[in-house]
Amino acid sequence: MNLENMNALVTGASRGIGASIVEVLARNNCNVIINYNNSEKEAYQLGEYIKNKYNVKVLTIKADVSNENDVKNMIEKIISEFGKLDILVNNAGIAIDTLFEDKTKENFQKILDVNLIGTFLVSKYASKYMLEQKHGKIINISSTNGIDTFYPMSLDYDASKAGVISLTKNFAKELAPYINVNAVAPGWVNTDMNKELDEEFIEEEINKIFMKRFAEPEEIANVVLFLASPLSSYITGEVIRVDGGF
Ligand code: NAP
């Protein structure tokens, strides 16, 4: 795939799936904007590594996707430094899994603010420029938890990811025919998000997966690459499950 002269913003790209999406896009000659919130060191290290290895343009930007001012400033900086934005991957996300009886309004709100409102805000400000250009690709990272319900301990996260699917379909309709808006719904992926899970639970979950393992971040990133590329020109408002056959 040759994404030369394309510029892609990946939110929450300092670690995990986001960092892998950055690398897969850069490997295909795409310039990348690495957004982070807390993990400054990891984000800049990734930026240096990508610049040296793939010889593409890299910009690293701090922004909390749930903060409207941060988002507005980030998009304006991208346009002033890169001239245009072709691909947006709304990947930033958090989960705060607790027992049902320990669920709080504050944590529920935090999750919605980052996962759902963050996706809305970045899409809103980025799509303004994509519409002017009359082209663009938006890829939202949802989750299989946004399609089915598995574990009430993540009911707040699940609601946010179901909301991301609804946003995907509404934005696809609103931004057509110029911008493709799709979602990827991963199942279990080997990242920090799952590092607290206990061994026994992991084994039970692996037994439910046809592939008998969690995904590697790159296996999600490859699907994002397809949706970011011209190969997916007639797909919009769609959700692609990547769960190894759960
Ligand atoms: P991760 O390793 O925990 O990384 C999360 C990323 O999101 C970090 O780069 C973090 O950046 C960023 N982030 C969090 N809050 C942010 C904010 N307010 N503003 C900007 N960035 C923010 O998680 P992951 O597993 O890679 O998950 C990536 C996405 O995939 C998430 O949307 C997640 O819900 C989804 N997903 C994951 C799995 C899985 O099994 N891992 C399954 C399905 C879906 P900083 O560290 O810089 O704050």
Side-chain angles (χ1 to χ4, degrees):
M1 186 66 51
N2 192 358
L3 298 181
E4 213 174 335
N5 299 322
M6 295 284 185
N7 304 325
L9 163 62
V10 183
T11 68
S14 53
R15 308 179 271 124
I17 296 170
S20 191
I21 293 169
V22 162
E23 177 153 20
V24 166
L25 291 173
R27 192 182 294 147
N28 288 275
N29 309 315
C30 190
N31 299 318
V32 286
I33 298 106
I34 298 170
N35 157 251
Y36 70 96
N37 188 32
N38 294 310
S39 306
E40 180 170 2
K41 195 167 145 229
E42 288 89 341
Y44 277 94
Q45 272 173 356
L46 175 69
E48 280 309 303
Y49 164 78
I50 295 289
K51 235 186 284 178
N52 295 334
K53 187 158 181 192
Y54 300 105
N55 196 28
V56 293
K57 271 177 78 180
V58 176
L59 178 66
T60 304
I61 307 188
K62 176 176 165 63
D64 174 352
V65 295
S66 67
N67 179 310
E68 187 158 11
N69 257 332
D70 279 12
V71 170
K72 201 167 167 279
N73 292 337
M74 170 170 71
I75 300 296
E76 281 169 5
K77 184 159 191 221
I78 293 167
I79 298 299
S80 82
E81 295 211 8
F82 280 63
K84 68 183 175 94
L85 181 62
D86 307 286
I87 298 159
L88 162 64
V89 186
N90 283 305
N91 166 79
I94 56 168
I96 311 173
D97 290 353
T98 66
L99 294 174
F100 181 79
E101 56 270 29
D102 296 330
K103 290 287 172 203
T104 62
K105 180 180 177 231
E106 288 69 27
N107 283 348
F108 203 137
Q109 188 68 58
K110 255 191 236 169
I111 293 168
L112 288 180
D113 283 348
V114 176
N115 299 5
L116 184 58
I117 307 294
T119 298
F120 161 71
L121 287 174
V122 187
S123 302
K124 176 186 156 159
Y125 285 98
S127 62
K128 180 178 160 248
Y129 293 98
M130 289 177 170
L131 278 177
E132 282 171 18
Q133 299 159 190
K134 293 197 162 58
H135 79 93
K137 301 271 199 178
I138 299 179
I139 300 113
N140 297 326
I141 307 300
S142 176
S143 166
T144 47
N145 287 38
I147 304 171
D148 299 320
T149 41
F150 305 106
Y151 326 93
M153 65 185 202
S154 63
L155 62 86
D156 31 24
Y157 175 82
D158 297 6
S160 74
K161 292 297 183 178
V164 167
I165 291 173
S166 172
L167 275 188
T168 302
K169 294 180 181 184
N170 275 300
F171 269 86
K173 190 168 187 185
E174 181 62 30
L175 303 178
Y178 302 114
I179 300 163
N180 304 59
V181 187
N182 291 294
V184 176
W188 290 112
V189 187
N190 277 322
T191 69
D192 289 352
M193 197 171 260
N194 299 321
K195 71 179 177 201
E196 306 293 331
L197 298 176
D198 72 62
E199 288 297 319
E200 206 178 312
F201 180 71
I202 292 178
E203 208 175 304
E204 280 169 26
E205 291 303 293
I206 284 178
N207 276 326
K208 299 179 195 161
I209 303 171
F210 291 177
M211 295 295 183
K212 295 288 171 244
R213 60 179 177 83
F214 282 13
E216 291 308 320
E218 189 160 325
E219 294 176 292
I220 311 303
N222 287 333
V223 180
V224 172
L225 171 67
F226 166 67
L227 290 174
S229 80
L231 291 179
S232 60
S233 52
Y234 202 58
I235 303 178
T236 198
E238 199 49 72
V239 186
I240 302 185
R241 268 182 110 105
V242 189
D243 65 359
F246 189 91

